[in-house]
Amino acid sequence: ASCGLSAGICETRVGEAALAGALPPYVKPSEGDRWRALAPGAPLTMRFLAHQPVVVSVGNTLFVHGGVLPEHVTFGLDALNAEISNWMKSGKSKGMPPLSVQGKDSLVWARHYSHPAEHRCDCDLLKETLAMIPGVERVVVGHTIQHPHGITSACDGKVIRVDVGMSKGCVDAKPEALEILNNGESISKCTIDADGVVTTSALS
């Protein structure tokens, strides 16, 4: 899944519309079952997604699909996770998703730190946000394809962008992996070439 820890949030929103009988125009009729299976309360959602956090810290690194902003921290990251989980479990086909998964400033849609051109990233906002979360030194995000650069970092390493666009529906890029060791003492990306050879290099 391209959404990492928040896998399925985008599809679940569309799946909710599917349960209500309104598939988006870009979804083929043959794919309708997939969207319905990922709707709130649906079997795949309940088994694989509803219990997963949308934003989570591992050591001193925070992981989130789109981005985390000061208002998210003020509301409470645990509270946001609970709110989204409860909605995914609800089974309400016509209930609106919580604001935390809607709009350009939500956890799953934010792109404030993700633009491939670093000068367009709001590094000051990121610094402010991280300062509000004790013990967290960086955030790992997806959502915004970094092709052709692969996994990238910005804002003096305070954000790592891992969406490489490997889906055939995007740019069909080669997969890459992020490796964080010893609480960030070593941060590397692993790439694979056309011959299947894996190379690990420090993430600059």
Side-chain angles (χ1 to χ4, degrees), residues 43-82:
L44 289 183
T45 298
M46 296 300 290
R47 181 170 181 179
F48 297 111
L49 304 177
H51 61 283
Q52 297 285 358
V54 176
V55 54
V56 64
S57 61
V58 179
N60 60 6
T61 302
L62 191 74
F63 294 82
V64 64
H65 177 60
V68 62
L69 305 176
E71 54 260 41
H72 302 146
V73 183
T74 299
F75 185 89
L77 300 183
D78 288 340
L80 287 171
N81 280 331

Side-chain angles (χ1 to χ4, degrees), residues 193-204:
D193 65 18
D195 297 320
V197 177
V198 176
T199 301
T200 300
S201 57
L203 188 64
S204 57

Side-chain angles (χ1 to χ4, degrees), residues 45-171:
T45 298
M46 296 300 290
R47 181 170 181 179
F48 297 111
L49 304 177
H51 61 283
Q52 297 285 358
V54 176
V55 54
V56 64
S57 61
V58 179
N60 60 6
T61 302
L62 191 74
F63 294 82
V64 64
H65 177 60
V68 62
L69 305 176
E71 54 260 41
H72 302 146
V73 183
T74 299
F75 185 89
L77 300 183
D78 288 340
L80 287 171
N81 280 331
E83 178 182 73
I84 296 167
S85 177
N86 289 337
W87 167 66
M88 295 177 80
K89 295 173 182 176
S90 68
K92 295 179 181 179
S93 62
K94 297 183 180 180
M96 288 297 293
L99 292 177
S100 46
V101 293
Q102 294 189 68
K104 63 182 179 62
D105 293 331
S106 71
L107 290 169
V108 297
W109 292 106
R111 301 182 191 269
H112 300 67
Y113 323 128
S114 301
H115 199 284
E118 184 171 353
H119 71 276
R120 297 184 61 180
C121 297
D122 195 337
C123 295
D124 290 337
L125 181 64
L126 175 58
K127 183 177 180 181
E128 175 189 350
T129 304
L130 292 179
M132 299 172 67
I133 312 173
V136 171
E137 297 182 5
R138 70 190 65 82
V139 60
V140 175
V141 300
H143 189 49
T144 303
I145 296 172
Q146 302 296 305
H147 185 76
H149 312 290
I151 294 175
T152 63
S153 65
C155 302
D156 296 321
K158 295 187 182 301
V159 60
I160 300 173
R161 295 85 65 85
V162 297
D163 192 335
V164 300
M166 60 183 277
S167 169
K168 291 185 182 297
C170 296
V171 296

Side-chain angles (χ1 to χ4, degrees), residues 1-4 6-20 23-24 26-27 31-52 84-93 95 97 101:
S2 62
C3 293
S6 55
I9 289 292
C10 309
E11 293 173 328
T12 300
R13 293 188 62 194
V14 182
E16 181 166 307
L19 271 181
L23 283 171
Y26 54 83
V27 177
E31 297 174 346
D33 288 345
R34 172 175 181 254
W35 295 102
R36 293 184 184 94
L38 292 168
L44 289 183
T45 298
M46 296 300 290
R47 181 170 181 179
F48 297 111
L49 304 177
H51 61 283
Q52 297 285 358
I84 296 167
S85 177
N86 289 337
W87 167 66
M88 295 177 80
K89 295 173 182 176
S90 68
K92 295 179 181 179
S93 62
V101 293

